[in-house]
Amino acid sequence: MTSLPTRAIGPFTVSAIGLGCMNLSHAYLPRPDAAQAEALLRHALDAGVTFFDTAALYGFGANEELLGRTLMDRRQDFTLASKCVLAEIDGRRGLDGSPQAIARVLEDSLRRLRVDHIDLYYLHRLDRNVPIEESVGALVRAKEAGKIGAIGLSEMSAATLRRAHAVHPVAAMQTEYSPWVRNPEVAVLDACADLGVAFVAFSPLGRGLLAGNSHAAALMPGDLRAGMPRFQEPNLAANLILVEKLRTLADQAGCTPAQLCLGWLLAKGPHVVPIPGTTSIAHLDEDLAALSRDWPDDLIAAVDALFPFTAPSGPRYPRDAQAQVDTETWEGEPLA
């Protein structure tokens, strides 16, 4: 139970805003120490968050271990999601969607999480060397064995979703979605609505930039964002102009830019569940406060107008990362 508004993901009722746990252990710098990360997770649960999202990839298992030692004494209080296919292979990030690899990664995740069942288990990316039907089939067998409860996909297209859904109902599609990444609106957001699939929006605050929390000067060497074109000059300077315009709009609406981004997403459909990530308890509380107010149509339309598909400067991903996503691109989108 939660005091927050709720939404449905497959058979689960979850807080309408969940918590993306990646940056507690992976990708972004600086990272919190163990005590800070554990305190953030416990605070989220106490504040009513009932949807926690991790993956085998994050910290090469460290994020799952963090959740395992911190939250599992309250396992009945939340819905747990993790992911396979992207994981550590021979000490490096690797992609393997074969049934054998999926089964192996799942067993490792169960051990690290200290559970015998993961509620929602995603294929983190599409392995183009393995038919999606085979990868989904591995998850079906895991579900039949009682090791997972529902099946999800991440960063995949409407066409791939429909192929997967024909094998077994898909509970959730997780893809980056925010005012400056509107690719889901090309096709997959509507496909989810048509099929009754929840849409889980990761990086809903533009990887921190739209919330005013990330500037190039503050990015440490090794931070994933430093290699992303939108965080590099001259793109960054142009994108920061958009950020300031968003801040002005939020000030006029009496909210923060982060809250406005989350309100915009919540207004995109009852099947949309944003999962912002943060290392700050204050920022977490700020995010959750977006659930306590109404978001009028004219304000949502103003965000739409500020961020047409062509507004952001630079590709979303560098070349290697773009090659691993199956999401639709919009006509004319710059690709690395």
Side-chain angles (χ1 to χ4, degrees), residues 245-266:
K245 291 180 178 179
L246 178 69
R247 183 181 299 279
T248 298
L249 190 60
D251 288 344
Q252 294 170 348
C255 64
T256 68
Q259 291 166 346
L260 182 54
C261 289
L262 292 168
W264 180 85
L265 281 165
L266 293 166

Side-chain angles (χ1 to χ4, degrees), residues 21 49 52 54 58 98 135 143 155 174 181-183 193 199-200 232 246 255-256 259 277 281 308 312 317 327:
C21 300
V49 175
F52 290 80
T54 183
Y58 301 159
S98 67
S135 297
K143 181 178 178 181
E155 289 276 31
Q174 181 177 149
V181 176
R182 297 181 64 176
N183 298 66
F199 187 94
V200 177
Q232 300 169 341
L246 178 69
C255 64
T256 68
Q259 291 166 346
I281 286 175
Y317 277 131
T327 42

